[in-house]
Amino acid sequence: MAVKQDWQSPIAPGVSWYQATAGERATYPELDGSKTCDVAIVGGGYTGLQAAYNLAKAGVSVVLIDANRFGDGASGRNGGQLGTGQRWWPEELEEKIGYERSRALFDLAEGAKKHLLDFASEHQIDIEFMPGQINVAHKESYKRSYIENAEIAATRYDYPHVQFMDRQETQERLGSTRYHCGVRDTGTGHIHPLKLLIGLARVAANAGAQVFEMTPASAVRNEGGKVKIDTPKGTITADKALIACNGYIGNLEPVTASHVMPIRSFIGATAPLDSFPSVIPGSEAVADSRFVVRYFRKSRDGRLLFGGREAYTADNPRDISDHIRRQITEIYPALKDVEITHAWGGSVGITLPRQPFVREVMPNVTSIGGYSGHGVMLSNYCGKLYAETVLGKSADLDLFKELDIPAFPGGAAMRAPLLFLALSWFALRDKF
């Protein structure tokens, strides 16, 4: 059965433009009764479904559950930008962990990019891939770092696709005078994220994974050498389990919850900009240098998809479109009256260092999340790498396990208000 295009997610505000244009979106049953399997997965986003697919096609019995519908979380509602490398630029990461590890993580991310595009092509999923990404500086003092980024990418990371843009080129490629310079990456691009998610769920189910929607996990525990996952209508018993809830971890598992913080992010879609051909004429994706990053891109049908308001609480604004319109107008004053046809939001999982959290949180239970706004490629690939770890085919997931991801300070009671204060300070610093 297909989900109506006006389906309102109970966990995220607004009906997204992705949902309105994704076509048929199948539903899957609720779990009704207990199950036994080799691997149980909690979370039906990119990570969980990729793990389920890769395990099932190898003959491993898999049961996957999601508390809501597949696509209601970040995997179906995100900005759709692939990016290159990790959340940090490679030279920034190199300062923290050294060249060898930074290079390994960069190469892993390139593998993630190739895997995503190859997966969509192999399974005939029209993800509406559009090439190109532009990163722009909102402060003139950042110019030197942008010049060096292009040079380092080519000379130290064998990635020749990044080119520096001066002020004039930046303004021409954006159709805006708001930014001072930037880099253009022709080796990446952007996609329709919900179409990928819908196709991935179909492929996982067809491979033999047992997948269930509207089935929340109430507890994950070890008992008698097995992993037990309790749900309202039955218990799943497995040899191993993957927790892939990201920003929707809630109180399910305390180690993950102390390391992965949910923040709200919001996106708006305008009507097609037929009368504004100067706005991103090359149809690339764009992200700016603010700590509270603004990210925007052109859709296949010429809309501006603009994300930029992060809220460091679980609350939603009363009118998402008003907040998004103000930010659009700062960059594109001519669009102050453009129609915003869709506005939506959801939770993104972040970690303190903005790097993925991958850890065995109890015997035979691995948790993966905290992609920190860089998850379209990495979440898909981490699901694949988890499956390869279980199958004994690869140890590449260890590159993430070895990262130092500290817990948020203050414990459960204080971490949210402390994070709000810290990130509000960074947001204020963006203005000066």
Side-chain angles (χ1 to χ4, degrees):
M1 185 173 68
V3 176
K4 292 181 179 179
Q5 290 186 333
D6 61 354
W7 161 258
Q8 176 59 64
S9 165
I11 60 170
V15 175
S16 73
W17 175 80
Y18 303 136
Q19 184 174 313
T21 57
E24 183 177 342
R25 180 180 170 196
T27 61
Y28 297 88
E30 299 177 36
L31 179 65
D32 188 6
S34 294
K35 295 278 186 181
T36 300
C37 60
D38 297 324
V39 179
I41 299 173
V42 182
Y46 292 146
T47 303
L49 286 168
Q50 277 285 357
Y53 163 68
N54 283 279
L55 288 167
K57 76 173 184 176
V60 175
S61 63
V62 181
V63 174
L64 179 148
I65 59 172
D66 193 282
N68 296 279
R69 294 205 185 278
F70 302 148
D72 279 4
S75 293
R77 303 173 72 86
N78 62 74
Q81 301 194 21
L82 300 188
T84 290
Q86 304 292 325
R87 179 67 170 75
W88 295 87
W89 279 359
E91 58 268 34
E92 296 173 316
L93 196 56
E94 189 175 325
E95 289 182 3
K96 297 176 180 298
I97 63 175
Y99 173 74
E100 184 177 348
R101 293 177 67 197
S102 175
R103 177 61 190 261
L105 285 166
F106 184 89
D107 291 344
L108 183 147
E110 280 300 285
K113 187 190 301 180
K114 183 178 187 303
H115 165 258
L116 187 154
L117 298 177
D118 287 350
F119 178 87
S121 176
E122 177 185 355
H123 297 287
Q124 299 182 330
I125 304 170
D126 178 18
I127 60 174
E128 298 190 12
F129 174 77
M130 299 178 69
Q133 177 160 332
I134 294 171
N135 293 300
V136 290
H138 78 291
K139 295 182 180 181
E140 192 168 12
S141 59
Y142 292 172
K143 180 178 178 179
R144 170 49 53 186
S145 65
Y146 277 70
I147 293 172
E148 292 175 349
N149 174 249
E151 294 173 348
I152 290 169
T155 60
R156 290 184 63 77
Y157 289 82
D158 297 319
Y159 188 81
H161 308 295
V162 177
Q163 303 297 323
F164 174 75
M165 303 184 304
D166 61 16
R167 182 191 293 266
Q168 180 178 345
E169 182 179 356
T170 299
Q171 294 178 357
E172 289 173 352
R173 291 197 181 278
L174 263 64
S176 169
T177 60
R178 181 65 182 82
Y179 294 100
H180 299 278
C181 64
V183 291
R184 181 169 178 251
D185 184 349
T186 58
T188 189
H190 49 105
I191 68 167
H192 190 302
L194 184 55
K195 284 191 173 183
L196 174 60
L197 190 282
I198 291 169
L200 176 53
R202 169 180 54 81
V203 169
N206 289 345
Q210 299 178 71
V211 297
F212 300 95
E213 297 179 315
M214 307 305 290
T215 305
S218 57
V220 179
R221 54 198 167 85
N222 286 118
E223 184 179 294
K226 298 287 186 179
V227 180
K228 303 276 189 175
I229 299 174
D230 296 326
T231 79
K233 295 183 180 180
T235 297
I236 305 167
T237 301
D239 296 324
K240 296 179 181 294
L242 169 65
I243 297 174
C245 301
N246 201 24
Y248 294 93
I249 186 63
N251 297 317
L252 178 63
E253 196 287 305
V255 178
T256 307
S258 68
H259 289 79
V260 178
M261 168 72 75
I263 63 171
R264 287 301 213 192
S265 188
F266 304 96
I267 305 176
T270 72
L273 300 181
D274 299 335
S275 300
F276 301 93
S278 64
V279 175
I280 321 179
S283 296
E284 298 96 342
V286 183
D288 75 10
S289 58
R290 294 172 179 270
F291 186 87
V292 183
V293 65
R294 296 178 180 178
Y295 53 97
F296 45 101
R297 63 190 182 96
K298 290 280 281 292
S299 64
R300 182 185 284 178
D301 65 350
R303 299 169 187 268
L304 181 67
L305 306 184
F306 191 101
R309 182 185 185 276
E310 293 180 345
Y312 304 104
T313 71
D315 299 330
N316 300 315
R318 284 189 295 272
D319 188 343
I320 298 170
S321 61
D322 280 353
H323 297 278
I324 295 298
R325 183 183 298 280
R326 283 198 292 270
Q327 294 189 19
I328 291 175
T329 303
E330 285 183 32
I331 298 171
Y332 296 108
L335 300 184
K336 63 183 178 65
D337 296 321
V338 72
E339 180 186 6
I340 295 179
T341 61
H342 300 80
W344 67 98
S347 289
V348 177
I350 69 167
T351 65
L352 269 177
R354 298 294 180 103
Q355 294 170 306
F357 172 79
V358 180
R359 187 171 301 180
E360 187 173 63
V361 294
M362 63 181 75
N364 295 314
V365 178
T366 297
S367 183
I368 305 178
Y371 299 107
S372 304
H374 201 69
V376 178
M377 292 187 317
L378 295 183
S379 59
N380 275 276
Y381 207 50
C382 279
K384 177 179 182 289
L385 294 181
Y386 172 79
E388 291 182 351
T389 300
V390 171
L391 297 169
K393 294 171 59 177
S394 168
D396 284 351
L397 194 63
D398 289 347
L399 288 169
F400 288 126
K401 289 182 179 179
E402 293 164 358
L403 293 173
D404 180 17
I405 310 297
F408 284 92
M414 291 300 297
R415 71 185 184 121
L418 286 174
L419 183 69
F420 175 81
L421 290 173
L423 296 186
S424 294
W425 160 250
F426 280 109
L428 181 64
R429 197 179 70 172
D430 281 337
K431 299 179 183 295
F432 299 98

